[in-house]
Amino acid sequence: MGGAGGGDAVRVWDVDLSGDAGAAGPAAGLLTDAERARAARLADPVRRAALLRSHAAARRLLAGHLRLPPGEIGWTAGPNGKPALTGAGRGCEWNLSRSGLRALVAVGGAAPVGVDLQAEHPHGDPLALARRFFAPAEAAQLAALPPGGARVRRLCLLLARKEAWAKAAGGRLLDFLRRDVGADPAAPGTPRPVGGAGHAVADLPIGPGYAAAVATTGRTNGRIDYRSCDWRDLCVPN
């Protein structure tokens, strides 16, 4: 993965949002009034800083990808909350997911794309939740694992795959929970068809403590160009 990536590659940036929660000024300057107002409504300074930094980083990354000034990058929330670029960026498909002090920004070009990041936590009893909401085969996979961390990791990975697929399709997570995404791809970053022709999902090598996946619609092969970056390198003037 890594590398420059070609025109047919789905690009995913893993953005580190950490740092002093009070040092969000450079990021805030890249946001719209509406985005700043939304952040101001968050009482938790860490969550507020993460929102500001993730949106600012997304704007910088999209501007670089599209070769446009950051001020020309704008988006609106489409059906089920999926962001859609407006103005000069219209037609380029992208998605954003944030969890804790990390964010994923995915760009699919003309192909609809969805991405999801899950900090690993139990969500309750992992096996009970899988039996209630997931496909029977997926619940059986959790049951075959020892209780504890292994089940939590599997639940979060399955949830990330379903959420990414729902976003790529422009749908609601609720409508995708019982769709089976339990079969593993050959390796992280390898797209695997799901739900018949026209949809694919790939796990991302996100590292310990998180689960992540990216999904596309209308394309079931090609490379996933995955790379890491820091919000400060994107948003803070040298």
Side-chain angles (χ1 to χ4, degrees):
M1 291 178 291
D8 62 343
V10 173
R11 295 187 175 186
V12 181
W13 288 271
D14 179 357
V15 187
D16 182 354
L17 304 176
S18 63
D20 178 7
L30 291 169
L31 271 57
T32 64
D33 290 343
E35 288 170 309
R36 286 191 289 268
R38 176 184 170 190
R41 291 193 291 270
L42 297 175
D44 182 352
V46 175
R47 292 181 61 203
R48 183 166 60 247
L51 187 151
L52 290 169
R53 293 167 184 172
S54 64
H55 281 218
R59 190 164 273 112
R60 283 288 191 187
L61 290 167
L62 288 164
H65 181 80
L66 294 170
R67 295 181 173 84
L68 292 171
E72 293 187 21
I73 301 296
W75 59 79
T76 59
N80 301 307
K82 184 179 181 181
L85 289 175
T86 58
R90 187 187 303 274
C92 177
E93 296 282 349
W94 79 288
N95 202 227
L96 168 68
S97 182
R98 184 179 68 254
S99 183
L101 292 175
R102 293 176 79 171
L104 296 177
V105 178
V107 177
V113 64
V115 70
D116 192 63
L117 175 66
Q118 297 277 334
E120 290 179 355
H121 59 92
H123 298 279
D125 180 343
L127 183 55
L129 288 170
R131 284 172 169 165
R132 181 177 180 185
F133 294 109
F134 289 2
E138 294 171 334
Q141 290 174 11
L142 261 75
L145 295 172
R151 288 183 180 177
V152 171
R153 285 190 292 274
R154 189 65 184 180
L155 179 82
C156 291
L157 178 59
L158 293 174
L159 189 57
R161 292 174 182 174
K162 293 170 190 284
E163 182 77 63
W165 185 9
K167 290 178 178 180
R172 302 181 307 157
L173 174 61
L174 183 63
D175 297 327
F176 285 75
L177 285 177
R178 290 202 174 274
R179 301 191 185 188
D180 192 341
V181 294
D184 285 327
T190 303
R192 177 179 60 81
V194 291
H199 303 276
V201 66
D203 299 339
L204 296 173
I206 199 70
Y210 288 87
V214 62
T216 59
T217 300
R219 175 173 55 194
T220 58
N221 52 30
R223 294 178 296 110
I224 307 297
D225 180 13
Y226 174 84
R227 60 188 70 188
S228 300
C229 59
D230 190 296
W231 75 276
R232 285 160 289 210
D233 295 334
L234 298 168
C235 305
V236 179
N238 293 325

